[in-house]
Amino acid sequence: EAGKGDSFGGLVVCAVGLTAENHDEIASTTICDSKQMNDNLILQLAPWLKERVAYHEINLFPREYNEQWLAHGSNVNTLLTDMHAGCIKKVAATGDYKSIVIDRFSPRLPVTKKLKTLSANTNIIEQPRAEEFLPVACASVIARATFLEQIKVLSQDVAIDIPLGSGRPVAAALENYRA
């Protein structure tokens, strides 16, 4: 997912399915965890990836994120569980995938529990820092690109440059927005 730790913007979740046919081509690129990549490179690679992989993403802008968060009991993990499971089910319907790897955000393995009925032949792995697996890295790149595009739209809507992250630039941006 992308946007979870940012002060501004919504939330984007993505799932990617790789096949034997596209795995090697994608593995030969510099694609890795989006947190280790330059945003300009992410914006260049995401469209290329989308042409080559099965993927599904859910892009919640702030208002929709807030509505969904409330509808999920004000619990971001419950919302993330439904978003991840929804994306994975859409991608799983496109092929015969033997494994599903999920970047774990809760020790209770909620996505694994939600997907239990998906397929008896599918191995589900939910682990922290799962971006070391190429499909999860690809999903992180697509999600990050969509989040960056979302921030661009929001910046245009409010006529200020919305900062990424949650650090020092956020206070200044809030002050500018109030002005």
Side-chain angles (χ1 to χ4, degrees):
E1 70 266 351
K4 186 169 83 173
D6 285 64
S7 295
F8 295 107
L11 182 63
V12 181
V13 170
C14 182
V16 164
L18 293 184
T19 64
E21 292 79 32
N22 62 16
H23 183 277
D24 290 343
E25 178 186 19
I26 293 166
S28 71
T29 69
T30 59
I31 291 172
C32 60
D33 179 0
S34 65
K35 290 185 263 339
Q36 299 174 10
M37 295 176 66
N38 174 287
D39 285 342
N40 290 327
L41 182 58
I42 287 170
L43 289 169
Q44 290 173 13
L45 285 173
W48 180 86
L49 264 176
K50 288 178 176 183
E51 293 174 358
R52 285 162 174 77
V53 301
Y55 76 97
H56 184 77
E57 63 184 333
I58 299 173
N59 180 9
L60 299 179
F61 274 74
R63 178 171 282 129
E64 188 178 11
Y65 168 79
N66 290 334
E67 290 168 359
Q68 288 295 316
W69 180 74
L70 287 172
H72 285 83
S74 302
N75 186 319
V76 72
N77 283 350
T78 303
L79 174 57
L80 282 170
T81 298
D82 282 350
M83 292 174 74
H84 279 279
C87 287
I88 290 166
K89 286 178 181 178
K90 290 276 190 182
V91 172
T94 68
D96 184 27
Y97 301 100
K98 302 296 182 215
S99 295
I100 296 171
V101 182
I102 305 151
D103 188 24
R104 188 175 89 188
F105 54 84
S106 168
R108 297 181 181 184
L109 308 177
V111 182
T112 300
K113 290 174 185 170
K114 189 111 182 165
L115 295 174
K116 247 199 271 186
T117 59
L118 191 63
S119 170
N121 298 329
T122 305
N123 181 30
I124 300 175
I125 302 161
E126 197 167 346
Q127 75 173 45
R129 293 173 294 287
E131 294 90 355
E132 70 184 62
F133 293 91
L134 189 56
V136 179
C138 291
S140 79
V141 168
I142 293 172
R144 178 69 177 175
T146 300
F147 182 73
L148 292 169
E149 292 164 5
Q150 183 190 106
I151 291 295
K152 182 179 177 183
V153 168
L154 293 170
S155 292
Q156 291 169 346
D157 287 350
V158 296
I160 64 167
D161 288 331
I162 295 175
L164 297 168
S166 60
R168 199 166 69 170
V170 170
L174 286 172
E175 202 55 45
N176 287 338
Y177 185 69
R178 287 187 201 130

